[in-house]
């Protein structure tokens, strides 16, 4: 007796389209991280059910942990800077698979994120979401302060060109820094 077997597959280009839609479908960096974290948790749960492992009695917490969000952030960054040439920036690949900027701070007593920030490409939706997130967390501060905050963790290529564009799109900043309307002069008699 033969069993009917159905095989489903997704090509790399179709998977890239789905992931790109996932990135463009979220309006904030935090919401994107949460959505992908829930998807990865679902993937783990399905894999556990397929393999029928011994720890099926393990109960998942209803909320996401900080560790899950950090691992999702690294997964997103790995996907974004995958297969991109960053030779002019003396790029290095760290142990967690993330491409980081090289430099002369190898022996400094600083955390890895400060010594070698993560390189991100210029025109990507994730970069815009990260810049918007930092801008809001910094209290809608100015361009130079936002650039300094971003450079603590990320090195976005041509970031100085992107920041003014995104700050000008910010409704809160446009409202706060708008020029006052001048008084209308009455006609002379």
């Amino acid at each position: 007796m033969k069993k009917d077997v159905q095989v489903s597959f997704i090509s790399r280009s179709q998977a890239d389209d789905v992931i790109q839609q996932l990135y463009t479908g979220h309006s904030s960096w935090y919401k994107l991280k949460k959505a992908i974290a829930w998807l990865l948790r679902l993937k783990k749960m399905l894999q556990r059910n397929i393999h029928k492992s011994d720890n099926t009695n393990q109960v998942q917490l209803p909320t996401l942990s900080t560790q899950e969000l950090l691992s999702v952030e690294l997964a997103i960054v790995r996907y974004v800077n995958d297969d991109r040439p960053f030779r002019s920036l003396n790029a290095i690949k760290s142990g967690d698979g993330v491409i980081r900027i090289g430099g002369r701070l190898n022996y400094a007593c600083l955390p890895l994120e400060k010594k070698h920030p993560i390189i991100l490409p210029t025109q990507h939706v994730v970069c815009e979401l990260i810049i918007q997130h930092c801008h809001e967390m910094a209290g809608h501060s100015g361009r130079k302060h936002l650039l300094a905050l971003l450079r603590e963790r990320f090195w976005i290529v041509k970031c100085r060109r992107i920041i003014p564009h995104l700050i000008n799109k910010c409704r809160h900043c446009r409202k706060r820094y708008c020029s006052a309307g001048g008084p209308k002069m009455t006609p002379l008699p």
Side-chain angles (χ1 to χ4, degrees), residues 133-170:
H133 176 74
C134 286
H135 178 63
E136 291 169 4
M137 290 296 117
H140 298 276
S141 61
R143 295 174 175 138
K144 292 182 180 178
H145 184 69
L146 179 59
L147 182 65
L149 288 176
L150 279 170
R151 293 269 166 94
E152 287 181 5
R153 288 200 64 209
F154 302 103
W155 188 279
I156 300 173
V157 180
K158 298 180 184 176
C159 189
R160 289 178 193 224
R161 291 184 189 171
I162 300 170
I163 288 176
H165 174 68
L166 291 176
I167 288 178
N168 290 338
K169 283 178 26 179
C170 177

Side-chain angles (χ1 to χ4, degrees), residues 171-189:
R171 288 184 185 170
H172 185 270
C173 293
R174 285 173 64 188
K175 199 182 279 187
R176 186 167 50 165
Y177 295 121
C178 69
S179 59
K184 285 195 171 188
M185 303 302 270
T186 58
L188 294 173

Side-chain angles (χ1 to χ4, degrees), residues 43-54 56:
K43 177 185 165 187
K44 283 181 188 177
M45 185 182 70
L46 291 174
Q47 285 176 344
R48 201 176 324 129
N49 288 343
I50 288 172
H51 297 302
K52 301 286 185 189
S53 62
D54 294 334
T56 55

Side-chain angles (χ1 to χ4, degrees), residues 52-64:
K52 301 286 185 189
S53 62
D54 294 334
N55 53 357
T56 55
N57 297 335
Q58 183 181 10
V59 177
Q60 281 283 21
L61 297 174
T63 59
L64 294 169

